[in-house]
Amino acid sequence: MAIRAADSIFETLIDEIMAGQMVPGEPLVEQTLAEQFGVSRTPVREALHRLEQACLAERGARRAFVVRRMAPEDLAELFEATGEIESTLAALAAKRMSEIERRKLETVLDEGDACDDPAAYSEINSRFHEIIKSGARNSILASTLDELNLRTLAWRAANFREDSRRLASSRVEHRGITQAILSQDADTTRRQMCSHVASSYIVLSDILARRSPDRSGPQF
Amino acid sequence: MAIRAADSIFETLIDEIMAGQMVPGEPLVEQTLAEQFGVSRTPVREALHRLEQACLAERGARRAFVVRRMAPEDLAELFEATGEIESTLAALAAKRMSEIERRKLETVLDEGDACDDPAAYSEINSRFHEIIKSGARNSILASTLDELNLRTLAWRAANFREDSRRLASSRVEHRGITQAILSQDADTTRRQMCSHVASSYIVLSDILARRSPDRSGPQF
DNA sequence: TTGCAGTGACATGTATACAATAGAAAGCTA
DNA sequence: TAGCTTTCTATTGTATACATGTCACTGCAA
């Protein structure tokens, strides 16, 4: 077999979580999944253990796996961690990006300004952040950021909406970040990125604020 | 069995890597380990996959697992990432630690000043960093730091020596960090912690500097 | 001597059977 | 009926056999 079954099952499950077909709390039973994928329990088992390590699955009743639920407090920590690491990457990138990368960043910025379609802007936004991530010259921090972003998959699948009002402010923030990077000002870059990420997930604050204090327990 | 075999094998292997009994490049063969542990290949297999995900094992010849080797450049990235995350935790802690925690930090600082035994100081040093880590109120960043520290296990087992000259400067740096935290100055805390971590691993820079440029390839 | 195809061995990948465990539900007793 | 014990079942944990794949080595041919 060219590709290992365990790998493709792992990725398929991630895709389904990302697509919202697998919602938090949904059971992940080895036998059932094995039949669905037409394989034995062994590769399914491996995929589930990898999901657990990636914090996308957890143990439910009877040691069974379920798609991981997260309390809003956990999500808040997760988003904060994501923001801090991306800010760190941006600060490093401000000092280390090559001239070519800096010009590339400006190009993407201009593309974003010229784009009004939310879906297309989302792709441009990804490229913007990718350039910064690779410009930091630290693959460990970069992959750490990727892992943390992966954990928010299920939540984003269920809660994230393209918000056209965010689009305008996002453009402004990107410009601020870019200027700070171009002037190689690491501290300013960090601050700008930090507030950019924070405002991206302002939705979460709303949700947290709306929750009555006694309604605790996993929600997502 | 009260505890899963896979878990105890995983931890035993980590302990052996930490103790330097398993050196980088050493083969980890499922069948061999299964016989040593008196179990079947199945739990060993799971343990090895977990080691691989934790970046402590990698694939060698014929897809076989070996204890992970790291090029000095990888180590440099790893230490940088560790330092940046710990600095971020310190910056957050400066704003968030309770009065009790701040006093506890001072207590540990005094203990460190009064301690001349390198081994005992090492334990005090750990407590100092633990207080900061938990004071940041972000378990995601905290566990991320733990994971990264775990990756340096094999290297530390082989290369780390208690250096009594470092002890004095470490004390000074800890004092600087503590003062910055007590005055709730997040930016200064970050800078102090960043340079503290950097000087802790100054040894690595020496190793990197001594290497001739053409001698590339995994070393540790 | 060099290049390449065939072969063999070693290590992992997968399938399947059986064991163990942990909740849930049923039943029993005060 | 509350609380305890027992039993039962769903699900994972482990053992073992077989399949697959990869690399090294051999031997032959140009």
Side-chain angles (χ1 to χ4, degrees):
Chain A
M1 197 171 288
I3 295 179
R4 299 184 337 135
D7 288 340
S8 64
I9 292 167
F10 177 70
E11 284 168 21
T12 302
L13 288 175
I14 284 184
D15 288 343
E16 292 188 356
I17 291 172
M18 182 161 25
Q21 296 164 19
M22 292 282 204
V23 299
E26 184 148 338
L28 296 164
V29 179
E30 292 180 3
Q31 184 61 46
T32 310
L33 292 171
E35 286 163 13
Q36 287 174 10
F37 286 106
V39 296
S40 78
R41 273 179 53 209
T42 310
V44 173
R45 178 183 172 72
E46 186 183 323
L48 291 182
H49 279 88
R50 283 172 62 185
L51 277 181
E52 186 186 26
Q53 282 202 265
C55 292
L56 289 171
E58 65 182 347
R59 301 291 186 158
R62 290 186 183 184
R63 278 189 109 73
F65 286 105
V66 298
V67 177
R68 182 165 182 140
R69 292 167 296 228
M70 274 194 292
E73 296 76 21
D74 298 332
L75 266 174
E77 280 194 7
L78 191 44
F79 285 131
E80 177 177 82
T82 304
E84 289 291 344
I85 291 177
E86 183 153 23
S87 300
T88 298
L89 283 163
L92 291 173
K95 290 184 282 188
R96 297 179 179 172
M97 276 172 79
S98 68
E99 269 312 307
I100 294 170
E101 285 171 313
R102 289 169 203 275
R103 276 198 291 274
K104 179 81 184 161
L105 200 64
E106 285 187 292
T107 306
V108 174
L109 190 70
D110 292 340
E111 283 181 52
D113 284 345
C115 171
D116 274 326
D117 175 41
Y121 184 80
S122 174
E123 189 273 328
I124 292 170
N125 180 63
S126 299
R127 291 219 314 271
F128 182 82
H129 288 271
E130 280 298 324
I131 292 170
I132 292 172
K133 197 166 67 181
S134 68
R137 305 281 186 275
N138 189 308
S139 60
I140 312 265
L141 283 172
S143 59
T144 300
L145 178 62
D146 289 340
E147 282 167 32
L148 293 184
N149 275 327
L150 193 65
R151 291 200 212 173
T152 62
L153 263 191
W155 184 82
R156 292 208 308 265
N159 297 80
F160 191 73
R161 313 256 182 292
E162 293 291 350
D163 185 346
S164 56
R165 284 167 305 178
R166 265 295 298 156
L167 205 144
S169 48
S170 173
R171 276 203 273 254
V172 175
E173 290 156 19
H174 279 196
R175 183 156 297 284
I177 292 167
T178 304
Q179 281 172 352
I181 288 178
L182 291 180
S183 54
Q184 307 195 15
D185 184 343
D187 289 344
T188 304
T189 302
R190 182 190 296 275
R191 265 195 305 277
Q192 299 261 2
M193 178 62 89
C194 207
S195 68
H196 172 55
V197 174
S199 57
S200 292
Y201 292 117
I202 200 89
V203 193
L204 179 64
S205 311
D206 293 348
I207 292 170
L208 280 168
R210 264 197 287 277
R211 261 167 48 99
S212 59
D214 56 318
R215 284 195 54 211
S216 57
Q219 293 269 31
F220 302 110
Chain B
M1 197 173 292
I3 296 178
R4 298 177 45 221
D7 288 341
S8 65
I9 292 167
F10 177 69
E11 284 168 22
T12 303
L13 288 174
I14 284 184
D15 287 343
E16 292 187 356
I17 291 171
M18 183 160 26
Q21 296 164 18
M22 291 283 205
V23 298
E26 184 148 340
L28 296 163
V29 179
E30 290 180 3
Q31 183 62 47
T32 310
L33 292 170
E35 287 164 11
Q36 286 175 10
F37 286 105
V39 297
S40 78
R41 273 179 53 210
T42 309
V44 173
R45 177 182 174 73
E46 186 183 321
L48 291 181
H49 279 89
R50 284 172 61 185
L51 277 181
E52 186 185 25
Q53 282 200 265
C55 292
L56 289 172
E58 65 182 347
R59 302 289 185 159
R62 290 186 185 185
R63 274 189 107 71
F65 285 106
V66 298
V67 177
R68 181 164 180 143
R69 293 166 295 227
M70 274 192 292
E73 295 76 20
D74 298 332
L75 267 174
E77 280 193 5
L78 192 44
F79 286 131
E80 178 176 82
T82 304
E84 290 291 345
I85 291 177
E86 184 152 22
S87 301
T88 297
L89 283 164
L92 291 174
K95 291 183 284 187
R96 297 179 179 172
M97 277 172 80
S98 68
E99 269 313 304
I100 295 170
E101 285 171 314
R102 290 170 203 273
R103 276 197 291 274
K104 179 79 184 163
L105 200 64
E106 284 188 291
T107 308
V108 174
L109 190 70
D110 292 340
E111 284 181 52
D113 284 346
C115 169
D116 274 328
D117 175 41
Y121 185 80
S122 174
E123 189 272 330
I124 292 171
N125 180 63
S126 299
R127 285 206 335 258
F128 182 82
H129 288 271
E130 281 297 324
I131 292 171
I132 292 172
K133 197 165 68 181
S134 67
R137 305 281 186 274
N138 189 308
S139 60
I140 311 263
L141 282 172
S143 59
T144 300
L145 178 62
D146 289 339
E147 281 167 33
L148 293 184
N149 275 327
L150 192 65
R151 292 201 211 172
T152 62
L153 264 191
W155 183 82
R156 292 209 307 266
N159 298 80
F160 190 73
R161 311 260 182 291
E162 293 290 349
D163 186 347
S164 56
R165 285 166 305 177
R166 264 295 297 157
L167 205 144
S169 48
S170 173
R171 275 203 273 255
V172 175
E173 289 155 19
H174 279 197
R175 185 157 295 284
I177 292 166
T178 304
Q179 283 173 350
I181 287 178
L182 290 180
S183 54
Q184 307 194 14
D185 183 343
D187 289 344
T188 304
T189 303
R190 182 191 295 277
R191 265 195 306 278
Q192 300 260 2
M193 178 62 88
C194 206
S195 69
H196 171 55
V197 174
S199 56
S200 291
Y201 292 117
I202 199 89
V203 192
L204 179 65
S205 311
D206 293 350
I207 292 170
L208 280 168
R210 265 199 286 277
R211 263 167 46 100
S212 59
D214 56 317
R215 284 193 55 210
S216 57
Q219 294 269 29
F220 301 111

